[in-house]
Amino acid sequence: QVQLVESGGGLVQAGGSLRLSCAASGRYAMGWFRQAPGKEREFVAAISQGGSSTAYADSVKGRFTISRLIGKTTVYLQMNSLEPEDTAVYYCAATLSTFATRQQYEYNFWGRGTQVTVSS
């Protein structure tokens, strides 16, 4: 069973930064998703198993960066220029595919989530 543990969430003012981490029990293509109160869970960013390919939602492009160190199993989400609209529970997920996929149904394993709150 793949285990995913997110960390790094918290409260930050608008314009600030946070870095989320997701420690995985193996090396997989990974994604970050988020769910705001009253909304459906949505794609944020993804990275391929090898780390050479990434994908981003339009709403975070240019502000968020997903990364992983070569050969390591932890994936990071650097979030800059945060906005109140970024407030959500952030989930990391792992897929048995090797590609950076945006589709939730392609992800086989999910973390429990970490809260990110951006105050105005």
Side-chain angles (χ1 to χ4, degrees):
Q1 182 72 14
V2 175
Q3 294 185 340
L4 304 172
V5 180
E6 303 102 333
S7 61
L11 173 64
V12 64
Q13 288 188 333
S17 299
L18 283 175
R19 189 177 80 158
L20 305 183
S21 299
C22 179
S25 56
R27 193 155 60 92
Y28 303 92
M30 305 279 287
W32 285 97
F33 295 80
R34 66 187 182 186
Q35 186 168 21
K39 296 188 176 181
E40 295 187 351
R41 189 165 58 189
E42 63 177 3
F43 169 75
V44 175
I47 189 165
S48 61
Q49 184 183 37
S52 61
S53 178
T54 58
Y56 295 93
D58 289 344
S59 59
V60 306
K61 201 172 294 183
R63 300 189 298 123
F64 291 11
T65 303
I66 189 170
S67 64
R68 70 191 317 159
L69 298 178
I70 295 175
K72 301 297 185 181
T73 60
T74 298
V75 170
Y76 304 96
L77 184 68
Q78 178 66 43
M79 305 186 295
N80 298 328
S81 301
L82 282 161
E83 304 167 354
E85 293 73 22
D86 296 316
T87 295
V89 177
Y90 284 70
Y91 298 90
C92 75
T95 173
L96 297 178
S97 164
T98 59
F99 303 107
T101 178
R102 299 169 180 264
Q103 304 300 326
Q104 292 192 46
Y105 68 84
E106 296 201 56
Y107 286 86
N108 308 93
F109 308 100
W110 292 81
R112 294 186 175 183
T114 185
Q115 177 70 47
V116 171
T117 303
V118 184
S119 63
S120 56

